[in-house]
Amino acid sequence: MQMSTAGVTRAYDRWSPVYDLVFGAVFRKGRRAAVATADRIGGRIIEVGVGTGISLPQYARTSRITAIDLSDPMLGKARERVRRLGLSNVEEIAVGDAEALGYAANSFDVVVAQYVVTAVPNPERALDEFVRVCKPGGEIVIATREGAGEGLRGAIERLLMPVTSRLGFRTDFPFSRYTDWAATRDDVTLVEHRPLPPLGHFSLVRFAKTKIS
C-alpha cells in the first residue's frame, strides 16, 4: 500500500492523545541512545518527527534544538511540554515535512530522526533532505525499526504492510534500504549501525556528512 503525506499526518493526529502511553516505553532506550549521540556533537540540532516532544527534556541544555513534525496536535503536546519544563534550549517547534525541510543547506550540526524514516512516504527523499540541511562534519542520527527483509519474519512484515501503512508506519524496511541509499551518494559515510532493544527489531544508525553537497 502506497503511503501519502496526508495519510501519515491523519494517522499521527489520531495517535496524539495516546502516543506517549503506547510508544513511550517501547522506544525509550532508542530515544536515549539517539539523544546521547546527538549531544556528543552538540551545537544546533534538528529533531525531525519530534511528535509529542517526549525526547526534548533529555537533550543537554547546551544543545540548541529545532523540532518539527507533520502533526500539529502532536506538536501541541510538545509545546506544552517545553513550557511546563522550561526547556529554553528548544528554539523552535514547527509543522514541517521530513521530505521537504524548510531550512537552508548546511544549517544543523546534527539531524535526529527517531522512528521517522519508516513512517514517511518516500524514505530516500527524506534521507536526502537530512543530508542537505546537515553541516559537513555533522551527523544524521537515526533510531529506526529494522525489517527482516527475508524469511518468515520478512514475509509477515510484508503481509502486515496494508494495515501498518494506515497506522502511519512500515513494517517492511530492511537495513539494505539505508545502505542502498548511501551507495548513491558520495557525501555520506555510515559510521555506526547497532541493535537497540526490544527484541533486536530496532537499530541506531549514524551517517557522517563528509563534504558540502
Side-chain angles (χ1 to χ4, degrees), residues 162-176:
V163 175
T164 61
S165 294
R166 287 193 292 270
L167 295 175
F169 58 91
R170 288 180 174 81
T171 45
D172 179 24
F173 201 90
F175 181 67
S176 60

Side-chain angles (χ1 to χ4, degrees), residues 24 26 29-30 69 97 119 141 149 154 156:
V26 173
K29 291 186 178 179
D69 200 277
D97 184 350
V141 178
I156 293 171

Side-chain angles (χ1 to χ4, degrees), residues 100-113:
L101 297 173
Y103 301 93
N106 311 305
S107 291
F108 298 96
D109 298 285
V110 190
V111 179
V112 176

Side-chain angles (χ1 to χ4, degrees), residues 35 38-48 56 58-68 87-93 103 106-112 135:
V35 169
D39 274 337
R40 282 198 292 271
I41 301 168
R44 193 174 183 216
I45 298 171
I46 182 170
E47 183 168 330
V48 180
L56 293 178
Q58 299 173 25
Y59 286 97
R61 293 301 180 98
T62 52
S63 295
R64 294 172 292 127
I65 312 301
T66 294
I68 71 164
L87 303 179
S88 58
N89 61 323
V90 178
E91 297 182 334
E92 181 182 12
I93 295 177
Y103 301 93
N106 311 305
S107 291
F108 298 96
D109 298 285
V110 190
V111 179
V112 176
K135 295 178 182 178

Side-chain angles (χ1 to χ4, degrees), residues 118-145:
T118 59
V120 298
N122 302 288
E124 288 79 12
R125 188 180 302 167
L127 291 166
D128 286 341
E129 277 291 272
F130 298 170
V131 177
R132 183 184 66 80
V133 301
C134 186
K135 295 178 182 178
E139 288 192 7
I140 297 99
V141 178
I142 300 167
T144 184
R145 190 188 187 285

Side-chain angles (χ1 to χ4, degrees), residues 130-196:
F130 298 170
V131 177
R132 183 184 66 80
V133 301
C134 186
K135 295 178 182 178
E139 288 192 7
I140 297 99
V141 178
I142 300 167
T144 184
R145 190 188 187 285
E146 190 170 316
E150 303 298 334
L152 178 61
R153 184 182 142 203
I156 293 171
E157 288 168 348
R158 287 188 290 275
L159 185 66
L160 289 173
M161 273 292 293
V163 175
T164 61
S165 294
R166 287 193 292 270
L167 295 175
F169 58 91
R170 288 180 174 81
T171 45
D172 179 24
F173 201 90
F175 181 67
S176 60
R177 289 284 294 266
Y178 290 104
T179 54
D180 289 349
W181 164 79
T184 69
R185 303 195 61 108
D186 64 357
D187 55 354
V188 296
T189 300
L190 177 67
V191 293
E192 185 175 14
H193 172 218
R194 63 179 164 97
L196 295 169

